[in-house]
């Protein structure tokens, strides 16, 4: 049964929250980061990139200690405040495409991760898990929630709607034109109702944030082992999450670009594809697939549709039915010789509303030889794969909403 608890969030003041909030550090180019830090002294990027103050690149544990120092300075300067009472936070995002996401920010249980009540659908890299665990132990806080999804629940939905009728703690719009709202629930009776509904859920699912979840679990294991008086209520037993209903979750696809045909001519490549797919040349008109197990391909100035020959491929697991896995097992690995989707530099990934145009331009430029598009995975597929204890290939899903760092902070 899923367990959530309220916590005392550290968060920016209403007046400057829009200046503090930042995308994940890796999503910025170097020039973007430099520009934002130069013109905005309140950006959370100053905390996670503390060497900027000295015009110096700092790495490892030295960087982690400076991150902690910068964070404490923001608190001392009144940029951050700490709520007086443990709370659950209703959080709403409306993006530039008018997609709306409504959920709650709360602390979720590391034991639930251990017991597979919180389920994952992606593999994690052990080195990254350990690195972020060390980071958390040093800095003592987490500033970006894990994105979790739960079955639609009428009681929680009604509480969210009622809360949103009241005064928002803040409302701000980012340069990406998505608007964020936060309301605070500190009424103990209302919190208990929310907790009861989650306690009735057998499973909730990680949508985005697999490494943060895994690192938080490692932190829990370490701190529990060191604490002779461990009682299960310590802050390290939990990690901050943004929980949204399944109907609010949006999954988009990643398309694939490959740099060569693995030594094959165009004709040889098409003949090999013909044994697995029914192929139609669509000419110069951009084509995007509309059904599962249909793919688009751009090769040598022309678009193609690829329809799987169903007698060729067996669906034995939920993973087998995933188009990203199907593309890997039928084309990328056996024909194009790409075995390691995470590290092979012959393959790259693109997403977005105009990804087929991006694929065309990338192939036409000569940087890539062929590109593939597919339909996005569904929430049901993600759940079924997680339920079977399987994991998706890398870059199988691009999940919305994308969260901001520094809006609510969970201290250990």
């Amino acid at each position: 049964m899923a367990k959530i608890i309220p916590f005392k969030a550290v968060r920016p003041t209403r007046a400057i929250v829009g200046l503090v909030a930042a995308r994940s550090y890796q999503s910025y180019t170097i020039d973007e980061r430099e520009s934002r830090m130069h013109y905005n002294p309140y950006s959370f990027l100053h905390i996670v990139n503390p060497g900027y103050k000295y015009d110096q690149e700092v790495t490892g544990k030295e960087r982690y200690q400076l991150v902690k120092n910068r964070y404490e300075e923001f608190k001392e300067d009144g940029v951050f405040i700490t709520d007086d009472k443990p709370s659950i936070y209703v959080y709403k995002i409306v993006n530039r495409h008018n997609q709306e996401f409504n959920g709650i920010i709360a602390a979720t249980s590391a034991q639930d991760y251990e017991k597979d009540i919180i389920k994952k659908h992606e593999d994690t890299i052990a080195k990254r898990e350990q690195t972020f665990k060390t980071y958390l132990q040093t800095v003592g806080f987490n500033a970006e929630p894990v994105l979790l999804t739960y079955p639609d629940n009428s009681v929680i939905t009604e509480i969210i709607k009622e809360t949103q009728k009241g005064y928002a703690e803040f409302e701000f719009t980012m340069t990406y034109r998505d608007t964020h709202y936060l309301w605070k629930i500190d009424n103990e009776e209302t919190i208990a109702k929310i907790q009861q509904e989650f306690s009735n859920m057998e499973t909730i699912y990680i949508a985005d944030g697999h490494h943060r979840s895994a690192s938080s679990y490692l932190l829990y294991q370490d701190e529990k082992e060191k604490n002779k008086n461990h009682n299960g209520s310590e802050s390290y037993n939990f990690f901050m999450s943004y929980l949204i209903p399944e109907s609010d979750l949006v999954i988009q696809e990643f398309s694939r670009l490959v740099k060569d045909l693995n030594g094959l001519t165009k004709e040889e490549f098409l003949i090999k594809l013909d044994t697995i797919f029914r192929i139609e040349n669509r000419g110069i008109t951009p084509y995007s697939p509309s059904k599962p197990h249909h793919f688009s391909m751009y090769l040598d100035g022309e678009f193609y549709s690829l329809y799987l020959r169903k007698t060729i491929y067996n669906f034995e697991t939920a993973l087998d039915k995933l188009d990203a896995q199907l593309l890997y097992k039928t084309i990328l690995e056996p024909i194009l010789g790409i075995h390691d989707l995470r590290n092979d530099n012959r393959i790259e990934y693109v997403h977005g509303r105009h990804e087929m145009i991006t694929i065309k331009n990338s192939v036409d430029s000569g940087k890539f030889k062929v590109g593939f598009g597919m339909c996005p995975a569904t929430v049901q597929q993600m759940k079924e794969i997680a339920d079977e204890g399987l994991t998706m290939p890398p870059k199988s899903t691009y999940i919305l909403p994308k969260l901001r760092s520094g809006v609510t902070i969970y201290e250990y």
Side-chain angles (χ1 to χ4, degrees):
M1 308 307 113
K3 181 177 182 178
I4 69 165
I5 64 167
F7 68 101
K8 296 179 181 180
V10 177
R11 51 192 179 86
T13 61
R14 181 183 180 90
I16 59 172
V17 60
L19 296 172
V20 174
R23 304 198 313 269
S24 63
Y25 181 79
Q26 296 83 359
S27 69
Y28 294 94
T29 66
I30 294 175
D31 288 343
E32 283 179 322
R33 285 201 302 266
E34 292 285 326
S35 175
R36 287 176 185 271
M37 287 187 286
H38 179 75
Y39 291 107
N40 179 7
Y42 297 110
S43 174
F44 194 77
L45 292 172
H46 284 283
I47 292 177
V48 293
N49 189 26
Y52 177 81
K53 182 176 182 179
Y54 304 107
D55 196 23
Q56 182 74 36
E57 186 70 26
V58 186
T59 60
K61 290 188 177 180
E62 183 180 28
R63 171 177 169 258
Y64 303 163
Q65 184 58 53
L66 288 177
V67 168
K68 183 176 182 179
N69 293 348
R70 265 336 137 262
Y71 173 65
E72 293 298 334
E73 288 168 7
F74 267 49
K75 290 175 69 176
E76 291 165 6
D77 292 343
V79 175
F80 290 132
I81 59 172
T82 304
D83 283 325
D84 296 330
K85 295 177 64 176
S87 303
I88 287 176
Y89 303 87
V90 170
Y91 200 80
K92 175 180 175 180
I93 303 171
V94 181
N95 69 17
R96 57 182 167 176
H97 306 302
N98 287 321
Q99 294 168 309
E100 187 172 307
F101 309 94
N102 295 277
I104 63 169
I105 294 175
T108 47
S109 169
Q111 279 192 320
D112 284 355
Y113 182 88
E114 180 178 52
K115 295 174 182 177
D116 210 28
I117 293 170
I118 296 175
K119 289 192 174 183
K120 64 180 183 177
H121 65 267
E122 287 184 8
D123 276 332
T124 50
I125 301 170
K127 184 178 179 180
R128 284 183 63 188
E129 293 177 12
Q130 290 290 340
T131 297
F132 194 62
K133 181 205 73 172
T134 304
Y135 171 85
L136 292 176
Q137 284 177 318
T138 305
V139 304
F141 68 87
N142 187 13
E144 183 181 339
V146 172
L147 180 62
L148 300 179
T149 188
Y150 60 88
D152 285 39
N153 180 287
S154 60
V155 174
I156 298 174
T157 297
E158 188 58 33
I159 291 173
I160 289 174
K161 287 181 178 179
E162 284 299 313
T163 302
Q164 289 175 340
K165 292 177 182 178
Y167 180 74
E169 295 292 321
F170 57 63
E171 171 187 344
F172 66 95
T173 301
M174 303 292 292
T175 54
Y176 265 45
R177 290 181 290 162
D178 47 356
T179 303
H180 300 247
Y181 308 79
L182 180 137
W183 295 262
K184 184 169 62 173
I185 298 176
D186 57 14
N187 178 276
E188 293 180 4
E189 184 178 338
T190 306
I191 290 173
K193 286 181 181 178
I194 297 172
Q195 289 177 306
Q196 180 60 47
E197 293 303 313
F198 276 98
S199 71
N200 293 331
M201 298 178 191
E202 293 184 4
T203 307
I204 54 180
Y205 296 85
I206 301 173
D208 198 11
H210 285 78
H211 281 92
R212 275 170 281 141
S213 303
S215 300
S216 296
Y217 173 63
L218 293 179
L219 176 70
Y220 153 75
Q221 287 182 308
D222 266 17
E223 297 302 315
K224 176 183 176 182
E225 185 69 25
K226 290 189 292 187
N227 185 1
K228 294 180 180 180
N229 298 314
H230 171 85
N231 60 29
S233 65
E234 299 88 352
S235 59
Y236 59 74
N237 291 277
F238 303 91
F239 56 95
M240 182 172 62
S241 297
Y242 179 41
L243 301 108
I244 67 172
E246 291 172 7
S247 60
D248 269 21
L249 195 68
V250 172
I251 301 179
Q252 298 177 346
E253 72 280 9
F254 275 97
S255 297
R256 273 71 171 140
L257 284 162
V258 182
K259 293 182 178 179
D260 60 68
L261 297 182
N262 197 28
L264 300 171
T265 66
K266 171 186 170 181
E267 292 72 22
E268 289 170 336
F269 177 59
L270 289 171
I271 288 170
K272 286 184 178 291
L273 287 183
D274 196 79
T275 63
I276 308 162
F277 296 94
R278 177 181 171 181
I279 305 173
E280 290 187 24
N281 187 319
R282 302 278 180 160
I284 62 173
T285 303
Y287 167 76
S288 296
S290 58
K291 294 181 180 180
H293 317 327
H294 290 189
F295 300 89
S296 60
M297 180 176 74
Y298 186 71
L299 172 68
D300 194 24
E302 295 178 307
F303 288 91
Y304 294 81
S305 60
L306 308 180
Y307 299 163
L308 180 69
R309 299 186 188 277
K310 296 179 182 177
T311 57
I312 297 295
Y313 189 83
N314 295 321
F315 300 113
E316 296 179 356
T317 68
L319 182 60
D320 294 332
K321 299 176 185 177
L322 183 73
D323 280 352
Q325 177 75 358
L326 196 157
L327 184 69
Y328 172 63
K329 286 298 184 181
T330 59
I331 301 177
L332 299 179
E333 184 181 43
I335 298 177
L336 294 179
I338 295 172
H339 304 285
D340 186 347
L341 291 172
R342 196 180 298 276
N343 298 308
D344 195 318
N345 61 13
R346 295 170 56 222
I347 187 169
E348 290 188 15
Y349 305 89
V350 295
H351 68 85
R353 299 177 71 192
H354 306 293
E355 74 273 6
M356 294 314 299
I357 300 301
T358 302
I359 285 177
K360 179 184 186 304
N361 292 339
S362 298
V363 173
D364 288 347
S365 73
K367 183 179 179 182
F368 296 92
K369 190 68 176 180
V370 63
F372 301 94
M374 69 191 82
C375 290
T378 65
V379 174
Q380 187 60 33
Q381 280 183 303
M382 183 188 78
K383 290 171 59 179
E384 289 173 355
I385 289 168
D387 288 343
E388 291 183 19
L390 302 172
T391 54
M392 295 181 177
K395 302 294 185 181
S396 291
T397 57
Y398 182 81
I399 292 179
L400 298 176
K402 293 300 179 188
L403 306 177
R404 296 295 184 263
S405 296
V407 178
T408 56
I409 297 172
Y410 181 82
E411 292 190 333
Y412 294 102

